[in-house]
Coordinates of all heavy atoms in Angstrom, one line a residue:
M296 N -140.9 -103.5 106.3 CA -141.6 -104.2 107.3 C -142.7 -103.2 107.9 O -144.1 -103.5 107.8 CB -141.1 -104.8 108.5 CG -140.1 -106.0 108.1 SD -139.4 -106.7 109.6 CE -138.7 -108.2 108.9
A297 N -142.4 -102.1 108.2 CA -143.3 -101.1 108.8 C -144.3 -100.6 107.9 O -145.4 -100.2 108.3 CB -142.4 -100.0 109.6
S298 N -143.9 -100.4 106.6 CA -144.8 -99.9 105.6 C -146.0 -100.8 105.4 O -147.0 -100.4 104.8 CB -144.1 -99.7 104.3 OG -143.8 -100.9 103.6
R299 N -145.8 -102.1 105.8 CA -147.0 -103.1 105.7 C -147.9 -102.9 107.0 O -149.0 -103.6 106.9 CB -146.5 -104.4 105.7 CG -145.4 -104.7 104.5 CD -144.8 -106.1 104.5 NE -143.7 -106.1 103.7 CZ -143.7 -106.6 102.4 NH1 -145.0 -106.9 101.9 NH2 -142.6 -106.7 101.6
I300 N -147.5 -102.1 107.9 CA -148.3 -102.1 109.1 C -148.9 -100.7 109.3 O -150.2 -100.6 109.9 CB -147.3 -102.3 110.4 CG1 -146.8 -103.8 110.3 CG2 -148.0 -102.1 111.7 CD1 -145.7 -104.0 111.3
V301 N -148.3 -99.6 109.0 CA -148.8 -98.2 109.1 C -148.8 -97.6 107.6 O -148.0 -98.0 106.8 CB -148.0 -97.4 110.1 CG1 -148.0 -98.0 111.5 CG2 -146.5 -97.4 109.6
D302 N -149.9 -96.8 107.6 CA -150.0 -96.0 106.3 C -148.9 -95.1 105.9 O -148.6 -95.0 104.7 CB -151.4 -95.3 106.2 CG -152.6 -96.2 106.4 OD1 -152.4 -97.3 105.9 OD2 -153.6 -95.8 107.0
E303 N -148.4 -94.3 106.8 CA -147.3 -93.4 106.5 C -146.3 -93.4 107.6 O -146.6 -93.3 108.8 CB -147.8 -92.0 106.5 CG -146.8 -90.9 106.0 CD -147.3 -89.6 105.9 OE1 -148.3 -89.1 106.7 OE2 -147.0 -88.8 105.0
L304 N -145.0 -93.7 107.3 CA -144.0 -93.9 108.2 C -143.4 -92.6 108.6 O -143.0 -91.8 107.8 CB -142.9 -94.9 107.7 CG -143.2 -96.3 107.3 CD1 -142.0 -97.0 106.9 CD2 -143.8 -96.9 108.6
E305 N -143.0 -92.3 109.9 CA -142.4 -91.2 110.3 C -141.0 -91.7 110.6 O -140.7 -92.4 111.4 CB -143.1 -90.7 111.6 CG -142.7 -89.3 111.9 CD -143.6 -88.7 112.9 OE1 -144.7 -89.1 113.1 OE2 -143.2 -87.6 113.5
V306 N -140.1 -91.2 109.6 CA -138.8 -91.7 109.6 C -137.9 -90.5 110.0 O -138.0 -89.4 109.3 CB -138.4 -92.2 108.1 CG1 -136.9 -92.6 108.1 CG2 -139.3 -93.6 107.9
V307 N -136.9 -90.8 110.8 CA -136.0 -89.7 111.2 C -134.6 -90.2 110.6 O -134.3 -91.3 111.0 CB -136.0 -89.5 112.8 CG1 -134.9 -88.5 113.1 CG2 -137.4 -88.9 113.2
T308 N -133.9 -89.3 110.0 CA -132.5 -89.6 109.7 C -131.6 -88.5 110.0 O -132.1 -87.3 110.0 CB -132.4 -89.9 108.3 OG1 -131.2 -90.5 107.9 CG2 -132.5 -88.7 107.2
L309 N -130.3 -88.8 110.4 CA -129.2 -87.7 110.7 C -128.6 -87.4 109.6 O -127.7 -88.3 109.0 CB -128.5 -88.3 111.9 CG -129.2 -88.7 113.2 CD1 -128.2 -89.3 114.1 CD2 -130.0 -87.6 113.7
D310 N -128.4 -86.2 109.1 CA -127.7 -85.7 108.1 C -126.5 -85.0 108.8 O -126.5 -83.8 109.1 CB -128.3 -84.9 107.1 CG -127.4 -84.4 105.9 OD1 -126.1 -84.7 105.9 OD2 -127.9 -83.8 105.1
T311 N -125.4 -85.7 108.9 CA -124.2 -85.2 109.7 C -123.4 -84.1 108.9 O -122.7 -83.4 109.6 CB -123.2 -86.4 109.9 OG1 -122.7 -86.7 108.7 CG2 -123.9 -87.5 110.8
G312 N -123.7 -83.9 107.6 CA -123.0 -82.9 106.9 C -121.8 -83.7 106.2 O -121.1 -83.0 105.3
R313 N -121.4 -84.9 106.5 CA -120.3 -85.5 106.0 C -120.8 -86.9 105.4 O -119.9 -87.8 105.3 CB -119.2 -85.8 107.0 CG -118.7 -84.6 107.7 CD -118.1 -83.5 106.9 NE -116.8 -84.0 106.1 CZ -115.6 -84.0 106.6 NH1 -115.4 -83.4 107.7 NH2 -114.6 -84.4 105.9
L314 N -122.1 -87.1 105.0 CA -122.6 -88.4 104.5 C -122.0 -88.6 103.1 O -121.9 -87.6 102.3 CB -124.0 -88.6 104.5 CG -124.8 -88.4 105.9 CD1 -126.3 -88.5 105.7 CD2 -124.3 -89.6 106.8
P315 N -121.8 -89.9 102.7 CA -121.5 -90.2 101.2 C -122.7 -89.8 100.4 O -123.9 -89.9 100.7 CB -121.3 -91.6 101.4 CG -121.1 -92.0 102.6 CD -121.9 -91.2 103.5
E316 N -122.3 -89.4 99.3 CA -123.6 -89.0 98.2 C -124.4 -90.3 98.1 O -125.6 -90.2 97.8 CB -122.9 -88.7 96.9 CG -123.8 -88.3 95.8 CD -124.8 -87.2 96.2 OE1 -124.3 -86.3 97.1 OE2 -125.9 -87.2 95.7
E317 N -123.8 -91.4 98.0 CA -124.5 -92.8 97.9 C -125.6 -92.8 98.9 O -126.8 -93.4 98.6 CB -123.7 -93.9 97.9 CG -122.8 -94.0 96.6 CD -121.6 -93.2 96.7 OE1 -121.3 -92.5 97.8 OE2 -120.7 -93.4 96.0
T318 N -125.4 -92.2 100.2 CA -126.5 -92.3 101.1 C -127.7 -91.5 100.9 O -128.8 -91.9 101.1 CB -125.9 -92.0 102.6 OG1 -124.8 -92.9 102.9 CG2 -126.9 -92.0 103.6
H319 N -127.5 -90.4 100.2 CA -128.5 -89.5 99.8 C -129.3 -90.2 98.5 O -130.5 -90.1 98.5 CB -128.1 -88.2 99.4 CG -127.4 -87.3 100.6 ND1 -128.3 -86.7 101.4 CD2 -126.2 -87.2 100.9 CE1 -127.6 -86.1 102.3 NE2 -126.3 -86.4 102.0
T320 N -128.5 -91.1 97.9 CA -129.1 -91.6 96.7 C -130.2 -92.8 97.2 O -131.3 -92.8 96.7 CB -128.1 -92.4 95.8 OG1 -127.2 -91.3 95.2 CG2 -128.7 -93.0 94.7
I321 N -129.7 -93.6 98.1 CA -130.6 -94.7 98.6 C -131.7 -94.0 99.5 O -132.9 -94.5 99.4 CB -129.9 -95.7 99.4 CG1 -130.7 -96.9 99.8 CG2 -129.2 -95.1 100.8 CD1 -131.2 -97.6 98.4
M322 N -131.5 -92.9 100.1 CA -132.6 -92.1 100.8 C -133.6 -91.8 99.8 O -135.0 -92.0 100.1 CB -132.0 -91.0 101.5 CG -132.8 -90.3 102.6 SD -132.0 -88.8 103.3 CE -130.3 -89.4 103.9
E323 N -133.3 -91.2 98.7 CA -134.4 -90.9 97.7 C -135.0 -92.1 97.1 O -136.2 -91.9 96.9 CB -133.6 -90.1 96.6 CG -133.1 -88.6 97.1 CD -132.5 -87.9 96.0 OE1 -132.5 -88.3 94.7 OE2 -132.2 -86.6 96.2
R324 N -134.3 -93.1 96.8 CA -135.0 -94.2 96.2 C -136.0 -94.9 97.2 O -137.1 -95.3 96.7 CB -133.8 -95.3 95.9 CG -132.9 -95.0 94.8 CD -132.1 -96.2 94.4 NE -133.0 -97.4 93.9 CZ -132.3 -98.6 93.7 NH1 -131.1 -98.8 94.0 NH2 -133.2 -99.5 93.1
L325 N -135.6 -95.1 98.4 CA -136.6 -95.6 99.3 C -137.7 -94.6 99.6 O -138.8 -95.1 99.8 CB -135.9 -96.0 100.6 CG -134.9 -97.1 100.6 CD1 -134.1 -97.4 102.0 CD2 -135.6 -98.3 100.3
G326 N -137.5 -93.3 99.7 CA -138.5 -92.3 99.6 C -139.5 -92.3 98.6 O -140.7 -92.0 98.9
R327 N -139.1 -92.7 97.4 CA -140.0 -92.8 96.3 C -140.8 -94.1 96.3 O -142.0 -94.1 95.9 CB -139.2 -92.8 95.1 CG -138.7 -91.4 94.7 CD -138.2 -91.3 93.2 NE -137.1 -92.2 93.0 CZ -135.9 -91.9 92.9 NH1 -135.4 -90.7 93.4 NH2 -134.9 -92.8 92.7
R328 N -140.2 -95.1 96.9 CA -140.9 -96.5 96.9 C -141.9 -96.5 98.0 O -142.9 -97.2 97.9 CB -139.9 -97.6 96.9 CG -140.6 -98.9 97.1 CD -139.5 -100.0 96.8 NE -140.2 -101.3 97.0 CZ -139.6 -102.5 96.7 NH1 -138.5 -102.4 95.9 NH2 -140.1 -103.6 97.0
Y329 N -141.6 -96.0 99.2 CA -142.4 -96.3 100.4 C -143.0 -94.9 100.8 O -142.6 -93.8 100.7 CB -141.5 -96.8 101.5 CG -141.0 -98.2 101.2 CD1 -139.7 -98.4 100.7 CD2 -141.7 -99.4 101.3 CE1 -139.2 -99.6 100.5 CE2 -141.2 -100.6 101.0 CZ -139.9 -100.7 100.6 OH -139.3 -101.9 100.3
P330 N -144.3 -95.1 101.6 CA -144.9 -94.0 102.1 C -144.2 -93.4 103.4 O -144.7 -93.5 104.4 CB -146.2 -94.5 102.4 CG -146.0 -96.0 102.8 CD -144.9 -96.3 102.0
I331 N -143.1 -92.7 102.9 CA -142.3 -92.1 104.2 C -142.5 -90.7 104.4 O -142.6 -89.7 103.4 CB -140.8 -92.4 103.9 CG1 -140.5 -93.8 103.8 CG2 -139.9 -91.5 104.7 CD1 -139.0 -94.1 103.4
R332 N -142.7 -90.3 105.5 CA -142.7 -88.8 106.0 C -141.2 -88.6 106.6 O -141.1 -88.9 107.8 CB -143.9 -88.4 106.9 CG -143.8 -87.0 107.2 CD -145.2 -86.5 107.8 NE -145.3 -87.1 109.3 CZ -146.2 -88.2 109.6 NH1 -146.8 -88.7 108.8 NH2 -146.2 -88.4 111.0
L333 N -140.3 -88.1 105.7 CA -139.0 -88.2 106.3 C -138.6 -86.9 106.9 O -139.0 -85.8 106.4 CB -138.0 -88.3 105.0 CG -136.5 -88.4 105.3 CD1 -136.2 -89.5 106.2 CD2 -135.8 -88.4 104.0
R334 N -138.1 -87.0 108.0 CA -137.6 -85.9 108.7 C -136.0 -85.9 108.8 O -135.5 -86.7 109.5 CB -138.1 -85.8 110.2 CG -137.7 -84.7 111.0 CD -138.2 -84.8 112.4 NE -137.8 -83.9 113.4 CZ -137.9 -83.8 114.6 NH1 -138.5 -84.9 115.2 NH2 -137.4 -82.9 115.4
V335 N -135.3 -85.0 108.2 CA -134.0 -85.0 108.1 C -133.4 -84.0 109.2 O -133.8 -82.8 109.2 CB -133.4 -84.6 106.8 CG1 -131.9 -84.5 106.8 CG2 -134.0 -85.5 105.7
V336 N -132.6 -84.5 110.1 CA -132.1 -83.8 111.3 C -130.6 -83.5 111.1 O -129.8 -84.3 110.7 CB -132.4 -84.5 112.6 CG1 -131.9 -83.7 113.8 CG2 -133.8 -84.8 112.7
S337 N -130.2 -82.2 111.3 CA -128.8 -81.8 111.0 C -128.3 -81.3 112.4 O -129.0 -81.0 113.4 CB -128.8 -80.7 110.0 OG -129.3 -81.0 108.8
P338 N -126.9 -81.3 112.7 CA -126.3 -80.7 113.7 C -126.7 -79.1 114.0 O -127.0 -78.5 113.1 CB -124.8 -80.8 113.4 CG -124.6 -81.9 112.3 CD -126.0 -81.6 111.6
D339 N -126.6 -78.8 115.2 CA -126.8 -77.4 115.5 C -125.6 -76.6 115.0 O -124.5 -76.9 115.1 CB -126.8 -77.2 117.0 CG -127.0 -75.8 117.4 OD1 -126.0 -75.1 117.3 OD2 -128.1 -75.4 117.7

């Protein structure tokens, strides 16, 4: 929805260090399809 409204999405996601591999897979698929500026945030 947001990609139809703004040219480049500022997306923030939390990489906890314990995510399933499949979550990284869908992250990459959506990143290739949509104009995402992805910011991956990790624990201190």
Side-chain angles (χ1 to χ4, degrees):
M296 285 184 176
S298 69
R299 304 169 192 271
I300 296 170
V301 295
D302 293 332
E303 186 178 38
L304 298 180
E305 198 162 341
V306 177
V307 172
T308 192
L309 304 176
D310 186 352
T311 64
R313 304 298 297 268
L314 296 179
E316 180 61 30
E317 291 86 352
T318 297
H319 293 283
T320 298
I321 188 62
M322 197 183 300
E323 290 184 356
R324 288 189 66 190
L325 290 174
R327 288 194 298 267
R328 172 164 176 165
Y329 296 99
I331 293 174
R332 184 165 72 252
L333 182 62
R334 181 182 172 198
V335 180
V336 181
S337 301
D339 180 278

